[in-house]
Amino acid sequence: SGADGYIVVKCPGGLHVAFVNFAPENSVVYTRAHSTHPMDVLQSLLDTLRPQGPLAILGDFNARCGRVDDRCDPAVDTLVECLGIDADLQRAHRAALPPRRSADAFCSPRGHELITLMQVEDVVLLNGRARGLNDGYTHLHKATQGQSVVDLCLLSADAYARWGSTA
């Protein structure tokens, strides 16, 4: 759905890859192009595609996650339990993840929302966690000389178990 900022490709072996491009929150493009909040779009993608198998979501989220630890959060564990999800299983899975590094120290409001969504939905942020890849900036703004990490790679827990932990 181009209007919602994503396309999905089904690859051999059952992997679905969603490519996203969400405009910045303060952009005129965002208010005109997106009728739905990007985190709601991601939730819908997860709800639709994850039951069909492993899922990777790649692209420009315009969400800066900084150095926020995405592995454990007691508030999210409580939310997960309230939703009737096996919090012990998710807690064990997140605790086993290697720590994530990032050159970008800033976490935007959308980045916090994304981290919470990933914890509730048991999705892994690969940026700063994959071997052989640096933890550097993914966006360089020429006019302002600004740098950020907004281009992200998310994997469903089953995709991470299959491919991400060896990346």
Side-chain angles (χ1 to χ4, degrees), residues 22-146:
F22 298 131
E25 295 170 88
N26 57 355
S27 165
V28 174
V29 174
Y30 174 74
T31 55
R32 273 195 244 145
H34 300 292
S35 57
T36 308
H37 189 282
M39 295 308 114
D40 293 334
V41 172
L42 287 175
Q43 182 69 64
S44 177
L45 277 170
L46 289 166
D47 291 345
T48 303
L49 297 174
R50 201 169 35 185
Q52 298 176 37
L55 172 64
I57 305 173
L58 314 163
D60 186 347
F61 289 76
N62 272 297
R64 294 173 67 181
C65 298
R67 298 180 183 138
V68 174
D69 187 0
D70 61 340
R71 294 178 298 166
C72 298
D73 185 338
V76 173
D77 287 341
T78 302
L79 175 61
V80 165
E81 287 172 359
C82 288
L83 293 172
I85 301 169
D86 187 346
D88 291 332
L89 180 63
Q90 284 193 330
R91 191 178 304 114
H93 173 255
R94 287 196 314 266
L97 291 172
R100 191 176 58 79
R101 301 173 319 275
S102 179
D104 190 359
F106 180 74
C107 188
S108 67
R110 190 184 288 175
H112 283 289
E113 291 176 13
L114 180 61
I115 293 286
T116 300
L117 178 66
M118 289 186 315
Q119 290 173 328
V120 169
E121 295 296 331
D122 209 13
V123 174
V124 177
L125 176 58
L126 203 55
N127 293 64
R129 193 170 266 136
R131 290 183 294 180
L133 297 176
N134 67 29
D135 57 350
Y137 296 107
T138 64
H139 174 74
L140 306 173
H141 193 273
K142 290 180 185 178
T144 65
Q145 301 298 308

Side-chain angles (χ1 to χ4, degrees), residues 4-19:
D4 285 327
Y6 69 88
I7 60 169
V8 177
V9 176
K10 184 175 181 181
C11 301
L15 175 69
H16 285 84
V17 180
F19 299 94

